[in-house]
Amino acid sequence: MAGKIAALMVAVHLDALYLESDRLVVEAMTDFSRLPYFDGKRDVNPNIANISEEIVSQPFQNQNLYLKAGIHLHWALPDALTKGIQVSENNETKTVFPVVPNRWLVTRSNKEG
């Protein structure tokens, strides 16, 4: 598809939280970014054990998350775009996921009146 621009419109469920002023909130129960993995070039977080105790927030140790005033969006890809398939290639099996958009356009509309 060289030289052509393709557009893919994907409907997603979106939750929005509007804050009039800065606010302390409870942090997430888990931080998956701490899990160890290989990014194709190097090991990331190699000194972290691959167990839940390493990523789950400790009870009564909440450091609180500070959200600034404004609108905070939370969304997730549709299930169809989160399912990978395993393919064999050159005696190697790997998981392949569908291509997903890497740019998002968020629009606001007012359907009153």
Side-chain angles (χ1 to χ4, degrees), residues 8-75:
L8 172 64
M9 296 184 76
V10 178
V12 296
H13 177 84
L14 178 69
D15 292 315
L17 171 64
Y18 171 70
L19 297 176
E20 288 186 12
S21 58
D22 297 356
R23 185 173 183 177
L24 283 173
V25 296
V26 176
E27 68 185 2
M29 291 179 61
T30 55
D31 181 2
F32 292 102
S33 68
R34 291 183 39 80
L35 283 174
Y37 65 95
F38 181 71
D39 70 0
K41 297 178 184 173
R42 63 182 182 87
D43 287 327
V44 178
N45 299 328
N47 298 327
I48 304 291
N50 197 4
I51 56 176
S52 65
E53 286 83 11
E54 295 287 350
I55 64 169
V56 174
S57 297
Q58 299 301 315
F60 309 109
Q61 301 296 317
N62 191 351
Q63 297 177 6
N64 293 320
L65 177 61
Y66 191 71
L67 292 180
K68 293 188 176 197
I71 298 176
H72 299 265
L73 303 177
H74 176 82
W75 58 273

Side-chain angles (χ1 to χ4, degrees), residues 85-89 92-96:
I85 59 170
Q86 290 192 332
V87 295
S88 294
E89 192 174 283
E92 189 177 305
T93 302
K94 59 183 177 179
T95 304
V96 177

